[in-house]
Amino acid sequence: SQTIHQWPATLVQPVGSPLSLECTVEGTSNPNLYWYRQAAGRGLQLLFYSVGIGQISSEVPQNLSASRPQDRQFILSSKKLLLSDSGFYLCAWSPSWGGSRGNEQFFGPGTRLTVL
Amino acid sequence: AQSVTQLDSHVSVSEGTPVLLRCNYSSSYSPSLFWYVQHPNKGLQLLLKYTSAATLVKGINGFEAEFKKSETSFHLTKPSAHMSDAAEYFCVVSDGSGGYQKVTFGTGTKLQVIP
């Protein structure tokens, strides 16, 4: 079976510090990978998605970047955090092949980031 | 283009009474529709999905939803609320059928269950 991991679970960082959040998927190959941010009282905003190693697409301009150094590893980074980067960050994967399960996304447990 | 509207940001029900969470969508293609549940500080869990098969979809924990194309709705229901149902629920629309799926999330409905 497939599992998705995120770490850390919670993080408190000062403004201007760097950020690295990691997401890994097990039990599948060549997944589509996604980073979402959920701000308090708002829905999920898609930040980045990736359909393969080294292939990153950004949905919105922001202070963050993403990388996919391995097939099942997705990293969210920032060089200098802003207060507005606070939120709940969720990683998700979906199968890249077709079929009835082809467009379902599976979510990780999330990382709660607080920027002070 | 696709969009999804969750008509209620908060819903409060008494334990043992029916639950109705409303969702309307728009999509240029035949959409797939999903309901996810999120408990506090947790990831999202899929409750059920519609992918152009039966219009009445049954999910986990006694939830079900009916796809009504004429009304562009996909409301989530449960006959009898349980305390453990208290959570936030997201309606999601997707017009992908494989590969990268463009999905759009609703803004969520927080369900409160009163003992």
Side-chain angles (χ1 to χ4, degrees):
Chain A
S1 64
Q2 301 89 4
T3 56
I4 179 169
H5 304 279
Q6 281 186 249
W7 64 91
T10 60
L11 190 61
V12 180
Q13 291 285 94
V15 169
S17 64
L19 173 73
S20 180
L21 303 182
E22 189 165 344
C23 170
T24 59
V25 181
E26 296 177 356
T28 188
S29 60
N30 195 32
N32 296 325
L33 295 171
Y34 311 83
W35 277 112
Y36 291 89
R37 177 169 58 203
Q38 185 177 29
R42 301 173 70 176
L44 273 72
Q45 180 186 35
L46 179 63
L47 302 175
F48 301 95
Y49 69 90
S50 171
V51 298
I53 296 174
Q55 301 179 60
I56 309 294
S57 297
S58 175
E59 284 290 299
V60 293
Q62 57 214 322
N63 184 42
L64 302 168
S65 62
S67 62
R68 185 171 177 174
Q70 300 181 41
D71 181 44
R72 290 168 289 178
Q73 184 185 30
F74 205 23
I75 297 173
L76 184 69
S77 303
S78 174
K79 293 182 179 178
K80 289 185 178 182
L81 283 169
L82 306 172
L83 287 174
S84 57
D85 292 324
S86 293
F88 192 51
Y89 288 82
L90 288 159
C91 180
W93 76 272
S94 66
S96 57
W97 53 92
S100 60
R101 289 168 56 82
N103 52 5
E104 177 178 332
Q105 295 191 10
F106 300 88
F107 286 81
T111 295
R112 173 71 60 190
L113 172 65
T114 302
V115 182
L116 301 175
Chain B
Q2 60 186 22
S3 67
V4 60
T5 301
Q6 290 184 244
L7 298 162
D8 306 294
S9 58
H10 290 83
V11 171
S12 182
V13 301
S14 297
E15 189 176 16
T17 64
V19 176
L20 170 64
L21 305 183
R22 298 183 293 166
C23 172
N24 286 96
Y25 71 92
S26 68
S27 175
S28 302
Y29 306 96
S30 296
S32 295
L33 292 157
F34 310 82
W35 275 100
Y36 285 86
V37 61
Q38 184 182 31
H39 289 91
N41 292 309
K42 301 292 185 183
L44 277 70
Q45 180 185 20
L46 182 70
L47 278 177
L48 49 80
K49 64 179 179 179
Y50 165 78
T51 55
S52 74
T55 56
L56 182 62
V57 181
K58 294 187 183 298
I60 62 172
N61 301 334
F63 285 95
E64 62 181 38
E66 186 172 6
F67 173 73
K68 292 187 176 180
K69 186 175 181 179
S70 61
E71 299 177 9
T72 61
S73 69
F74 190 58
H75 301 334
L76 182 70
T77 61
K78 183 173 180 178
S80 176
H82 190 273
M83 292 301 296
S84 61
D85 295 327
E88 190 162 18
Y89 293 79
F90 292 93
C91 182
V92 180
V93 61
S94 168
D95 61 11
S97 60
Y100 162 64
Q101 296 88 31
K102 173 69 174 179
V103 300
T104 301
F105 282 78
T107 51
T109 298
K110 287 188 177 178
L111 175 64
Q112 180 185 21
V113 181
I114 302 169

